[in-house]
């Protein structure tokens, strides 16, 4: 029987735009990179429930309460799809959670900023989800099957999230003077953190090269950032708000906006744990996990007892 | 490990009566009833289905990449298993 | 009391109960004992707030004074709220949340089954939709009661403590006053005595199966039919209503 050269098979799949599946041979670096990327993504969804969840009990209308609740729940679902995708690579949910709870794993820096007003709920949905969707649309074509399939599902469900955020912003921007101020204030605070979501500039992005080669990233950080600005500025104008960037200018030559870079020093501080809410977010996740321990223990004990009865019967 | 998130289950959803059950994802649950309920809450939130199967992941046996050749390639030359292999006179029409 | 007044109060009672319970349940979102259960409980919260919305919309239209469902939710104070006291109690640990939910799910199931026969088409419509939802809620909470009851010693004790503490608030579920009298005559409201019999049977079977003991000779708390509440409701409303009260001219 001829022996299969697995590395060639793997490279061949990438070359032919085919999917790599859990049982297929894959280089160890590819597996590790995927685990890191998918789990970071999953953690971001889960931690991301907190800043938005913060406003569920204070949503100013019944409709907005229901919508926000459904949205935060969706984020939880997305975290779950992604955890299960990561699990196909040979890491358990317990290990993944442990990495989050001990601070070993990273999640998107954006969720370490506080949601101070109701307008922040609009800004998060509109800007943060808008930025996330760009990334996710690209990842629907990622080379790892379970990841790409999770993304397809997530993108389908995310489609209402950005609209929800924009609707909140619209109501504020066209509402009373105080509401409009609230909207501008939120835009001022969320603009640069959102720009950071695409990651450091390409020249300084350590993981990008492999990720592009392996098709678990298909556009660079800077390309996505540019795309986001181009798409968002007209929406800001529609709302009658102002992008908090004096350098922002249309560049006819590149058919895109010139804009100021976010403060990358601040970004580094936040991903190293020094953002305004890093400690609170982790503490909240740890508390939920800790408080849930007896619930899981009860479920486990009950299942064991039932199985014994089942076997005996 | 004492504390854990429970075993992994695979979820299959039937969209409409008569259609096949299609794998749609996985989840964790400690018992069968919980797996079924979680599947309902997770994978049919947007009325995606009308019937569900849940199967413990470790009950599934999958073919491996090494099997690929021996398992599936021999079928490739059995063209006589496909209807297009046969010629039917035009006069007969659809068959 | 006119039928219209009675219907307004009756609908508020149901709407407020659902709203405050949904508000409490939604506090768990993002903080559940594990991810799958977090999502499951949020689904229940969503159903319940959805029902609250339908009921308060109907209350607003019955009142016919140009108030909206949001006005009713966000611009009444605690002495104008009719929700059952059990709904406003803090969530406590997960056993307490689940025991409360099971007590209410079971009540809701038999209540909505009766309400579905109401001559008031809006109420019977809401009831019919709710029966489907509540049947599932009860299935979910019942399986947790069983898990807690025979799971570990710790979970058993937590569930038993919750049941002991919550039982005193179950008397309110079945209280009837002039509102009920007026509407029962019209074939609109539910005779809660019928619900009580079915509820007692179902609940005692559920807890017995789960090796939990329903406390006896408990003095029942009362007050919500007269808008008298525990200390907790005013805090819930202060949080829930903050924005609409701070910006009374704003639309959201």
């Amino acid at each position: 029987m001829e022996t299969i050269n697995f590395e060639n098979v793997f490279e061949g799949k990438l070359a032919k735009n085919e999917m790599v599946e859990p049982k297929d041979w894959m280089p160890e670096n590819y597996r590790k990179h995927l685990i890191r990327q998918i789990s970071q993504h999953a953690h971001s969804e889960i931690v991301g429930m907190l800043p938005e969840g913060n406003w569920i009990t204070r949503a100013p209308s019944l409709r907005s309460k229901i919508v926000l609740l459904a949205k935060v729940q969706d984020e939880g679902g997305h975290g779950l799809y992604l955890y299960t995708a990561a699990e196909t690579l040979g890491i358990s949910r317990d290990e993944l959670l442990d990495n989050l709870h001990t601070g070993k794993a990273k999640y998107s820096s954006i969720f370490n900023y506080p949601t101070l007003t109701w307008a922040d709920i609009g800004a998060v949905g509109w800007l943060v989800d808008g930025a996330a969707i760009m990334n996710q649309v690209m990842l629907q074509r990622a080379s790892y099957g379970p990841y790409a399939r999770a993304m397809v599902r997530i993108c389908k469900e995310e489609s209402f999230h950005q609209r929800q955020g924009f609707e909140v912003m619209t109501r504020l921007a066209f509402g009373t003077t105080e509401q409009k101020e609230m909207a501008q204030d939120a835009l001022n605070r969320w603009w640069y953190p959102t720009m950071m979501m695409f990651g450091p500039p390409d020249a300084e992005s350590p993981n990008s090269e492999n990720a592009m080669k392996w098709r678990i990233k298909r556009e660079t950080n800077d390309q996505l950032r540019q795309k986001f600005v181009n798409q968002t500025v007209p929406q800001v104008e529609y709302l009658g708000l102002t992008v908090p960037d004096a350098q922002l200018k249309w560049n006819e030559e590149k058919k895109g906006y010139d804009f100021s870079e976010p403060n990358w020093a601040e970004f580094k501080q936040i991903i190293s744990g020094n953002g305004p809410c890093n400690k609170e977010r982790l503490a909240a996740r740890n508390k939920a996990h800790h408080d849930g321990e007896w619930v899981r223990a009860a479920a486990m004990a009950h299942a064991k007892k039932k199985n014994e009865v089942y076997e005996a019967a | 490990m004492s504390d854990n998130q429970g075993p992994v289950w695979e979820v299959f959803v039937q969209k409409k009566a008569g259609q096949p059950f299609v794998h749609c994802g996985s989840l964790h649950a400690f018992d069968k009833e919980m797996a079924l309920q979680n599947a309902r809450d997770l994978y049919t939130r947007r009325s995606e289905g009308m019937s569900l199967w849940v199967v413990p992941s470790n009950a599934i046996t999958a073919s491996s990449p090494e099997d690929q050749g021996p398992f599936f390639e021999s079928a490739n030359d059995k063209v006589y298993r496909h209807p297009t292999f046969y010629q039917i006179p035009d006069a007969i029409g659809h068959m | 009391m006119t039928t219209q007044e009675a219907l307004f109060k009756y609908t508020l009672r149901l709407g407020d109960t659902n709203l405050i319970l949904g508000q409490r349940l939604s506090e768990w979102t993002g903080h559940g004992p594990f991810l799958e259960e977090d999502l499951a409980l949020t689904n229940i919260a969503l159903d319940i707030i959805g029902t609250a919305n339908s009921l308060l919309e109907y209350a607003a239209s019955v009142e016919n004074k140009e108030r909206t469902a949001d006005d009713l939710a966000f611009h009444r104070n605690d002495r104008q709220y009719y929700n059952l006291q059990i709904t406003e109690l803090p969530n406590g640990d997960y056993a307490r949340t689940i025991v409360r939910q099971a007590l209410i799910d079971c009540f809701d199931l038999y209540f909505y089954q009766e309400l579905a026969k109401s001559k008031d088409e809006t109420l019977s419509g809401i009831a019919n939709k709710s029966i489907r939802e509540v049947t599932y809620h009860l299935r979910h909470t019942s399986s947790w009661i069983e898990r807690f009851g025979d799971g570990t010693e710790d979970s058993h004790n937590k569930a038993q403590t919750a049941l002991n503490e919550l039982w005193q608030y179950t008397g309110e579920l079945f209280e009837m006053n002039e509102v009920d009298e007026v509407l029962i005559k019209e074939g609109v409201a539910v005779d809660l005595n019928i619900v009580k019999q079915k509820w007692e049977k179902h609940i005692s079977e559920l807890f017995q199966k789960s090796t939990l003991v329903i406390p006896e000779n408990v003095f029942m708390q009362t007050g919500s039919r007269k808008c008298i509440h525990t200390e907790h409701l005013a805090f819930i409303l202060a949080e829930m209503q903050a924005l609409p009260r701070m910006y009374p001219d704003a639309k959201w």
Side-chain angles (χ1 to χ4, degrees), chain A residues 50 57-62 65-66 69 73 77 80 93 118 171 178-179 182 285 294 296 298 301-302 305, chain C residues 23 29-30 33 36 39 43 46 53 70 74 95 147 150-151 154-155 158 239-240 243-244 247 250-252:
Chain A
L50 299 170
T57 55
R58 292 177 291 168
S61 67
L62 293 170
K65 188 187 289 292
I66 292 170
L69 192 53
Q73 185 201 35
L80 201 151
R93 173 89 68 90
W118 175 248
R171 291 189 184 201
E178 281 168 315
Q179 282 177 305
M182 202 188 269
R285 285 315 315 157
W294 71 266
R296 299 189 293 273
H302 175 74
K305 285 182 195 177
Chain C
Q23 175 81 358
T29 300
E36 282 79 355
L39 295 161
N43 264 350
L46 274 169
N53 190 35
D70 279 342
F74 295 97
R147 289 185 195 109
D150 94 330
D154 186 27
S155 69
K158 284 187 161 81
E239 183 180 359
M240 186 177 89
L243 272 178
Y247 304 98
K251 298 253 184 303
W252 307 93

Side-chain angles (χ1 to χ4, degrees), chain C residues 110-126:
Chain C
Y110 295 114
F111 175 77
Y112 289 131
Q113 281 177 1
E114 292 302 311
L115 191 65
K117 303 173 199 160
S118 173
K119 282 187 183 157
D120 183 302
E121 279 178 16
T122 309
L123 286 182
S124 71
I126 293 172

